[in-house]
Amino acid sequence: MIALQKVGVSFGTGATRIDAVRDVSFVVDAGESFGLVGESGSGKSTVLRAIAGLIAHARGDIALAGKPVGRRRSKADRKLVQMVFQDPYGSLHPEHTVDQILVDPIAIHRLGDAGRRVARALAEVGLGPEHRFRYPHQLSGGQRQRVAIARALILEPRILLLDEPTSALDVSVQAEILNLLTRLRREHGLTMLMVSHDLAVIAHLCERIAVMSHGAIVEQTTAERLATSTVDHPYTQELLRSNKGFRREEGEGLCPSTPAKADPLQSIT
Amino acid sequence: MSDTLLTVRDLRVVYPGEQEAFVALRGVGFTLGRERLGIVGESGSGKSTAGRAIMGLLPRSARIEASELRLGTTDLLRLDERGFRRLRGKRVAMVLQDPRYALNPMMTVGRQIAETHRTHLRSTAAAARKAALAMLEAVRLHDPARVYDLYPHEVSGGMGQRAMIAMMLIADPEILIADEPTSALDATVQLQVLAILDELVRRRGMGLILISHNLHLVSGFCDRVLVMYAGRVVETCVASRLAEARHPYTRGLLASLPELGHRRPELPQLQRDPAWLADTAFP
Ligand SMILES: Nc1ncnc2c1ncn2[C@@H]1O[C@H](COP(=O)(O)OP(=O)(O)OP(=O)(O)O)[C@@H](O)[C@H]1O
Ligand SMILES: Nc1ncnc2c1ncn2[C@@H]1O[C@H](COP(=O)(O)OP(=O)(O)OP(=O)(O)O)[C@@H](O)[C@H]1O
Ligand SMILES: [Mg+2]
Ligand SMILES: [Mg+2]
């Protein structure tokens, strides 16, 4: 359903050039949930943006639903794949109410029945009618994130790209959203590609998982292997160790796996 | 270590609406010492609103009342915008949720941090630049010199969070309110960034309010945790004993956590009880 072959993205030129994504290849089958984890800044969001057709200068081949997609996407291509962005704030029009934000895509794709669709989408993400006519800045962080999820779902796409979709949600709302995604996958064969730093969330939703570091996929693994700590790459092993969280020794403070350098902080006193 | 840095008593915040006003905080109270105070709670329960009230960053239309809102000896209820401006950054700083959009989109990340340094420490341009670069390195950004020259839309989510943390720490505030500061960081970097905050609390006696949805993080890192639900604090507990919390909302939260290595087809969903909106005390 999603096939990437040697996809690369660079930003900048000369000394400031950075290869944000380097030769990334993977395949996600129809109805599968595929996870992407890895270092902050390793290129995960950039991969998702390339698949969504938002990076015109991406190299390599991307195919969706069996067809290669080019730089210019047709309206049908755009309905096929929807993305939930990492910062809901930036992806919601600040001068549009929630209602307008959700009605717009329905109008563009001439789906009709807007009123009912909007009400249903809001209910599915746990928002009430009282939120429907608010502006994004009048919502909490998690409420904005849920509007972004509702907007992605309202077109009933076959492929959903999710960039940290539950990071601003309390775990009870997170459970509701994860259950909703599980249900959509079961009932409609939705294909998902999800980025998250929360390994438990990724392992809950996804069977296969790719690990990124410095723009490249360093390991493709499974939820099963993450759970049993049988991963191969040193970066993935480090990630699993850190995932255990803090050990605070008596009166000693934290023990991070790599001690932070103290000096840069000293310079500011 | 209990000298009180911040006192909040019976804080109420009302957002006026077109049809009806929305009561976002309904009598919140807590104190903050030289400690790590965690705040967890429902999405929309007023956590960010509480932080913004302390910072004087609520929209002008919002109505704020409290029987006490005091930072050291400063009465925040009587402070005007100029007073808050003097306070912000130096005495109390806040890492906002959605940092990439909280930063100025027209100015590079490094310059914004350097400007903060100049404003509060009256430093020269060169010294400010040096301090900003050091701070970017301290928050574990790989290539501080490159990040310095990037605009907010050119950094990743986690890089933006670290840049914002760097900016808020550069003037060495007495209190830091961090609103979901590490939600976009991988576990490894998250530990490193928290270690910096921990260091500031232990060595410098900074007071830290950490707002987070990450229950593991809060219970492992903080000293105390407040649990918020619908505009009120419904429970306060010792962080390390969060697992023994008693309020049904907190119990429900703990139950709905996905666990690595213990996969369930469906996660338990919380059944919200209208009774939780009533004034019941859960110490
Ligand atoms: N428009 C841009 N201009 C310059 N550099 C960019 C741009 N967009 C992304 N980058 C760079 O590409 C790299 C990868 O960024 P990306 O957002 O894909 O990371 P990520 O894996 O999603 O990280 P995070 O987990 O922190 O969100 C970063 O170094 C970032 O600075
Ligand atoms: N300007 C505003 N006008 C009206 N209501 C608002 C405004 N700002 C926030 N609210 C409402 O106030 C409540 C509290 O918002 P706040 O941002 O403090 O929540 P939060 O606890 O930080 O939630 P989250 O965990 O989702 O970030 C929410 O229900 C929100 O919809
Ligand atoms: Mg990202
Ligand atoms: Mg918030």
Side-chain angles (χ1 to χ4, degrees), chain A residues 31-92:
Chain A
E32 192 187 3
S33 300
F34 189 83
L36 208 52
V37 303
E39 220 173 345
S40 167
S42 62
K44 303 179 298 297
S45 300
T46 307
V47 167
L48 260 54
R49 290 165 52 86
I51 297 171
L54 297 173
I55 301 182
H57 62 282
R59 300 179 299 270
D61 301 313
I62 300 175
L64 298 176
K67 282 201 313 246
V69 285
R71 290 202 186 124
R72 288 182 59 88
R73 301 279 172 99
S74 66
K75 205 154 115 181
D77 285 340
R78 277 184 276 134
K79 183 171 181 296
L80 177 71
V81 40
Q82 287 292 311
M83 175 157 171
V84 177
F85 292 86
Q86 191 169 5
D87 305 88
Y89 219 147
S91 70
L92 302 176

Coordinates of all heavy atoms in Angstrom, one line a residue, chain A residues 31-92:
Chain A
G31 N -3.8 -2.5 5.0 CA -4.3 -3.0 6.3 C -3.3 -3.1 7.4 O -3.6 -3.5 8.5
E32 N -2.1 -2.9 7.1 CA -1.0 -3.0 8.1 C -0.8 -1.7 8.9 O -1.1 -0.6 8.4 CB 0.3 -3.4 7.4 CG 1.4 -3.9 8.4 CD 2.7 -4.2 7.7 OE1 2.9 -3.9 6.5 OE2 3.6 -4.6 8.5
S33 N -0.3 -1.8 10.1 CA 0.2 -0.6 10.8 C 1.7 -0.7 11.0 O 2.1 -1.7 11.5 CB -0.4 -0.5 12.2 OG -1.8 -0.5 12.2
F34 N 2.4 0.3 10.5 CA 3.8 0.2 10.5 C 4.3 1.4 11.4 O 3.8 2.5 11.3 CB 4.3 0.4 9.0 CG 5.8 0.1 8.9 CD1 6.3 -1.1 8.7 CD2 6.7 1.2 8.8 CE1 7.6 -1.4 8.5 CE2 8.0 1.0 8.7 CZ 8.5 -0.3 8.5
G35 N 5.3 1.1 12.2 CA 5.8 2.1 13.2 C 7.1 2.6 12.8 O 8.0 1.9 12.2
L36 N 7.3 3.9 13.1 CA 8.6 4.5 12.8 C 9.1 5.2 14.1 O 8.4 6.0 14.7 CB 8.4 5.6 11.7 CG 9.6 6.0 10.8 CD1 10.2 4.7 10.2 CD2 9.1 6.9 9.7
V37 N 10.2 4.7 14.7 CA 10.7 5.3 15.9 C 12.1 5.8 15.6 O 12.7 5.5 14.6 CB 10.7 4.3 17.1 CG1 9.3 3.8 17.3 CG2 11.7 3.2 16.9
G38 N 12.7 6.5 16.6 CA 14.1 6.9 16.4 C 14.4 8.2 17.0 O 13.5 8.9 17.6
E39 N 15.6 8.6 16.9 CA 16.2 9.8 17.5 C 15.4 11.0 17.1 O 14.9 11.1 16.0 CB 17.6 9.9 17.0 CG 18.6 10.3 17.9 CD 20.0 10.3 17.3 OE1 20.2 9.6 16.3 OE2 20.9 10.9 17.9
S40 N 15.4 12.0 18.0 CA 14.8 13.3 17.6 C 15.7 13.9 16.6 O 16.9 14.0 16.7 CB 14.8 14.1 18.9 OG 14.5 15.5 18.5
G41 N 15.1 14.3 15.5 CA 15.9 14.9 14.4 C 16.4 13.9 13.4 O 17.2 14.3 12.5
S42 N 16.0 12.7 13.5 CA 16.5 11.7 12.6 C 15.8 11.6 11.3 O 16.2 10.8 10.4 CB 16.5 10.3 13.3 OG 15.1 9.9 13.6
G43 N 14.7 12.4 11.1 CA 14.1 12.4 9.7 C 12.7 11.7 9.6 O 12.2 11.6 8.6
K44 N 12.2 11.4 10.8 CA 10.9 10.7 10.7 C 9.8 11.5 10.1 O 9.0 11.1 9.2 CB 10.5 10.3 12.2 CG 11.5 9.4 12.9 CD 11.1 9.0 14.3 CE 11.0 10.2 15.2 NZ 12.2 11.0 15.5
S45 N 9.6 12.8 10.6 CA 8.6 13.6 10.1 C 8.8 13.9 8.6 O 7.9 14.0 7.8 CB 8.5 15.0 10.9 OG 8.3 14.7 12.2
T46 N 10.1 14.0 8.2 CA 10.4 14.3 6.9 C 10.0 13.2 6.0 O 9.5 13.4 4.9 CB 11.9 14.6 6.7 OG1 12.3 15.7 7.7 CG2 12.3 15.1 5.3
V47 N 10.2 11.9 6.4 CA 9.7 10.8 5.6 C 8.2 10.9 5.4 O 7.7 10.7 4.3 CB 10.1 9.4 6.4 CG1 9.3 8.3 5.8 CG2 11.6 9.2 6.3
L48 N 7.5 11.1 6.5 CA 6.0 11.2 6.4 C 5.6 12.4 5.4 O 4.7 12.2 4.6 CB 5.4 11.5 7.8 CG 4.8 10.2 8.5 CD1 5.8 9.1 8.6 CD2 4.3 10.6 9.8
R49 N 6.3 13.5 5.5 CA 5.9 14.6 4.7 C 6.2 14.3 3.2 O 5.5 14.7 2.3 CB 6.7 15.9 5.1 CG 6.2 16.4 6.5 CD 7.1 17.4 7.1 NE 7.5 18.5 6.1 CZ 6.8 19.6 5.9 NH1 5.7 19.8 6.6 NH2 7.1 20.4 5.0
A50 N 7.3 13.5 3.0 CA 7.6 13.1 1.6 C 6.5 12.2 1.1 O 6.0 12.4 -0.1 CB 8.9 12.4 1.6
I51 N 6.0 11.3 1.9 CA 4.9 10.4 1.5 C 3.7 11.2 1.2 O 2.9 10.9 0.2 CB 4.7 9.3 2.5 CG1 5.9 8.4 2.7 CG2 3.5 8.4 2.1 CD1 5.9 7.5 3.9
A52 N 3.4 12.2 2.0 CA 2.2 13.0 1.8 C 2.3 13.9 0.6 O 1.4 14.7 0.3 CB 1.9 13.8 3.1
G53 N 3.5 14.0 0.0 CA 3.7 14.8 -1.2 C 4.0 16.3 -0.8 O 3.7 17.2 -1.6
L54 N 4.5 16.5 0.3 CA 4.7 17.9 0.8 C 6.2 18.3 0.6 O 6.5 19.4 0.9 CB 4.4 18.0 2.3 CG 2.9 17.7 2.6 CD1 2.7 17.7 4.1 CD2 2.0 18.8 1.9
I55 N 7.0 17.4 0.1 CA 8.4 17.8 -0.2 C 8.7 17.6 -1.6 O 8.9 16.5 -2.1 CB 9.4 17.0 0.7 CG1 9.0 17.3 2.2 CG2 10.8 17.4 0.4 CD1 9.9 16.6 3.2
A56 N 8.7 18.7 -2.4 CA 8.8 18.6 -3.8 C 10.2 18.1 -4.3 O 10.2 17.4 -5.3 CB 8.6 20.0 -4.4
H57 N 11.2 18.3 -3.5 CA 12.5 17.9 -3.9 C 13.0 16.6 -3.4 O 14.2 16.2 -3.4 CB 13.5 19.0 -3.6 CG 13.7 19.2 -2.1 ND1 12.8 20.0 -1.4 CD2 14.6 18.8 -1.3 CE1 13.2 20.0 -0.2 NE2 14.3 19.3 0.0
A58 N 12.0 15.7 -2.9 CA 12.4 14.4 -2.4 C 12.9 13.6 -3.6 O 12.4 13.6 -4.7 CB 11.2 13.8 -1.7
R59 N 14.0 12.8 -3.3 CA 14.5 11.9 -4.3 C 13.9 10.5 -4.1 O 13.4 10.2 -3.0 CB 16.0 11.8 -4.3 CG 16.7 13.2 -4.5 CD 18.2 13.0 -4.3 NE 18.6 12.6 -3.0 CZ 18.9 13.4 -2.0 NH1 18.8 14.7 -2.1 NH2 19.2 12.9 -0.8
G60 N 14.1 9.6 -5.1 CA 13.7 8.2 -4.9 C 12.3 8.0 -5.4 O 11.6 8.9 -5.9
D61 N 11.8 6.8 -5.1 CA 10.4 6.4 -5.6 C 9.5 6.2 -4.5 O 9.8 5.5 -3.6 CB 10.5 5.2 -6.5 CG 11.5 5.4 -7.7 OD1 11.3 6.5 -8.4 OD2 12.4 4.6 -7.9
I62 N 8.3 6.7 -4.6 CA 7.2 6.5 -3.7 C 6.0 5.9 -4.4 O 5.6 6.6 -5.4 CB 6.9 7.8 -2.9 CG1 8.1 8.3 -2.2 CG2 5.7 7.5 -2.0 CD1 7.8 9.6 -1.5
A63 N 5.5 4.8 -4.0 CA 4.3 4.3 -4.6 C 3.2 4.2 -3.6 O 3.5 3.7 -2.4 CB 4.5 2.9 -5.3
L64 N 2.0 4.6 -3.9 CA 0.9 4.4 -3.0 C -0.2 3.6 -3.7 O -0.5 3.9 -4.8 CB 0.3 5.8 -2.6 CG 1.3 6.7 -1.8 CD1 0.6 8.1 -1.6 CD2 1.7 6.1 -0.5
A65 N -0.8 2.7 -3.0 CA -1.8 1.8 -3.5 C -1.4 1.2 -4.9 O -2.2 1.2 -5.8 CB -3.2 2.6 -3.7
G66 N -0.2 0.9 -5.0 CA 0.3 0.2 -6.2 C 0.7 1.1 -7.3 O 1.3 0.7 -8.3
K67 N 0.5 2.5 -7.2 CA 0.8 3.4 -8.3 C 1.9 4.4 -7.8 O 1.8 4.9 -6.7 CB -0.4 4.2 -8.7 CG -1.4 3.4 -9.5 CD -2.3 4.4 -10.3 CE -2.9 5.4 -9.4 NZ -4.3 5.4 -9.2
P68 N 2.9 4.5 -8.7 CA 3.9 5.5 -8.4 C 3.3 6.9 -8.3 O 2.4 7.2 -9.1 CB 4.9 5.5 -9.5 CG 4.5 4.3 -10.4 CD 3.1 3.9 -10.0
V69 N 3.6 7.7 -7.3 CA 3.1 9.0 -7.2 C 4.2 10.0 -7.5 O 5.3 9.9 -7.1 CB 2.4 9.3 -5.8 CG1 1.1 8.6 -5.7 CG2 3.4 9.0 -4.7
G70 N 3.9 11.0 -8.2 CA 4.9 12.0 -8.6 C 4.9 13.2 -7.7 O 4.3 13.2 -6.6
R71 N 5.5 14.3 -8.1 CA 5.5 15.5 -7.3 C 4.2 16.2 -7.2 O 3.9 16.7 -6.2 CB 6.5 16.5 -8.0 CG 7.9 15.9 -7.8 CD 9.0 16.8 -7.9 NE 10.2 16.0 -7.8 CZ 11.1 16.0 -8.7 NH1 11.1 16.8 -9.7 NH2 12.1 15.2 -8.6
R72 N 3.5 16.1 -8.3 CA 2.2 16.8 -8.3 C 1.1 15.7 -8.0 O 1.1 14.7 -8.7 CB 1.9 17.5 -9.6 CG 2.7 18.7 -9.7 CD 2.4 19.5 -11.0 NE 1.0 19.8 -11.1 CZ 0.5 20.9 -10.6 NH1 1.3 21.8 -10.1 NH2 -0.8 21.2 -10.6
R73 N 0.4 15.9 -7.0 CA -0.6 14.9 -6.6 C -2.0 15.3 -7.1 O -2.4 16.5 -7.0 CB -0.7 14.8 -5.1 CG 0.6 14.4 -4.5 CD 0.9 12.9 -4.6 NE 2.2 12.5 -4.1 CZ 2.5 12.0 -2.9 NH1 1.5 11.9 -2.0 NH2 3.7 11.7 -2.6
S74 N -2.7 14.3 -7.6 CA -4.1 14.6 -8.0 C -5.0 14.7 -6.8 O -4.6 14.3 -5.7 CB -4.6 13.5 -8.9 OG -4.7 12.3 -8.2
K75 N -6.2 15.2 -7.0 CA -7.1 15.3 -5.9 C -7.4 13.9 -5.3 O -7.5 13.7 -4.1 CB -8.4 15.9 -6.4 CG -9.2 16.6 -5.4 CD -10.1 17.7 -6.0 CE -11.5 17.4 -5.8 NZ -12.4 18.4 -6.4
A76 N -7.5 12.9 -6.2 CA -7.7 11.5 -5.7 C -6.6 11.0 -4.9 O -6.8 10.4 -3.8 CB -8.0 10.6 -6.9
D77 N -5.3 11.3 -5.3 CA -4.2 11.0 -4.5 C -4.3 11.6 -3.1 O -3.9 11.0 -2.1 CB -2.9 11.5 -5.2 CG -2.5 10.7 -6.4 OD1 -2.9 9.6 -6.5 OD2 -1.7 11.3 -7.2
R78 N -4.7 12.8 -3.1 CA -4.7 13.5 -1.8 C -5.8 13.0 -0.9 O -5.7 13.0 0.3 CB -4.9 15.0 -2.1 CG -3.6 15.7 -2.4 CD -3.7 17.2 -2.5 NE -4.1 17.6 -3.8 CZ -5.1 18.5 -4.1 NH1 -5.7 19.1 -3.1 NH2 -5.4 18.8 -5.3
K79 N -6.9 12.5 -1.5 CA -7.9 11.9 -0.6 C -7.5 10.5 -0.1 O -7.8 10.1 1.0 CB -9.2 11.7 -1.4 CG -10.4 11.2 -0.5 CD -11.7 11.3 -1.3 CE -12.8 10.8 -0.4 NZ -12.7 9.3 -0.1
L80 N -6.6 9.9 -0.9 CA -6.1 8.5 -0.5 C -5.3 8.5 0.8 O -5.4 7.7 1.6 CB -5.3 8.0 -1.7 CG -4.6 6.7 -1.5 CD1 -5.6 5.6 -1.6 CD2 -3.5 6.5 -2.6
V81 N -4.5 9.6 0.9 CA -3.6 9.6 2.1 C -3.8 10.9 2.9 O -3.8 12.0 2.3 CB -2.1 9.4 1.7 CG1 -1.8 10.1 0.4 CG2 -1.2 9.8 2.8
Q82 N -4.0 10.8 4.2 CA -4.1 11.9 5.0 C -3.1 11.9 6.1 O -2.6 10.8 6.5 CB -5.5 11.9 5.7 CG -6.6 12.3 4.7 CD -6.6 13.8 4.3 OE1 -6.4 14.7 5.1 NE2 -6.6 14.0 3.0
M83 N -2.7 13.1 6.6 CA -1.6 13.1 7.6 C -2.1 13.9 8.8 O -2.7 14.9 8.7 CB -0.4 13.7 7.0 CG 0.7 13.9 7.9 SD 2.3 14.1 7.0 CE 3.4 14.6 8.3
V84 N -1.7 13.4 10.0 CA -1.9 14.1 11.2 C -0.5 14.6 11.6 O 0.5 13.8 11.8 CB -2.4 13.2 12.4 CG1 -2.5 14.0 13.7 CG2 -3.8 12.6 12.0
F85 N -0.3 16.0 11.6 CA 1.0 16.5 11.8 C 1.4 16.6 13.3 O 0.6 16.5 14.2 CB 1.0 18.0 11.3 CG 0.9 18.0 9.8 CD1 -0.4 18.0 9.2 CD2 2.0 18.0 9.0 CE1 -0.5 18.0 7.8 CE2 1.8 18.1 7.6 CZ 0.6 18.1 7.0
Q86 N 2.7 16.7 13.4 CA 3.3 16.6 14.8 C 2.8 17.8 15.7 O 2.5 17.6 16.8 CB 4.8 16.6 14.7 CG 5.5 16.3 16.0 CD 7.0 16.1 15.8 OE1 7.5 16.2 14.7 NE2 7.7 15.7 16.8
D87 N 2.8 19.0 15.1 CA 2.3 20.1 15.9 C 0.9 20.5 15.4 O 0.8 21.1 14.3 CB 3.1 21.4 15.7 CG 4.6 21.2 15.9 OD1 5.3 20.8 15.0 OD2 5.0 21.4 17.1
P88 N -0.1 20.1 16.1 CA -1.4 20.5 15.7 C -1.6 22.0 15.5 O -2.3 22.4 14.5 CB -2.3 19.9 16.8 CG -1.5 19.6 17.9 CD -0.1 19.4 17.4
Y89 N -1.0 22.8 16.3 CA -1.1 24.2 16.2 C -0.8 24.7 14.8 O -1.6 25.5 14.2 CB -0.2 24.9 17.2 CG -0.9 26.1 17.9 CD1 -0.6 26.4 19.2 CD2 -1.8 26.9 17.2 CE1 -1.2 27.5 19.8 CE2 -2.4 27.9 17.8 CZ -2.1 28.2 19.1 OH -2.7 29.3 19.7
G90 N 0.3 24.3 14.3 CA 0.8 24.8 13.0 C 0.0 24.3 11.8 O -0.1 24.9 10.8
S91 N -0.8 23.2 12.0 CA -1.5 22.6 10.9 C -2.9 23.0 10.8 O -3.6 22.7 9.9 CB -1.3 21.1 10.9 OG -2.1 20.5 11.9
L92 N -3.4 23.7 11.9 CA -4.8 24.2 11.9 C -4.8 25.7 11.5 O -4.1 26.5 12.1 CB -5.4 24.0 13.2 CG -5.4 22.5 13.7 CD1 -6.0 22.4 15.1 CD2 -6.2 21.6 12.8

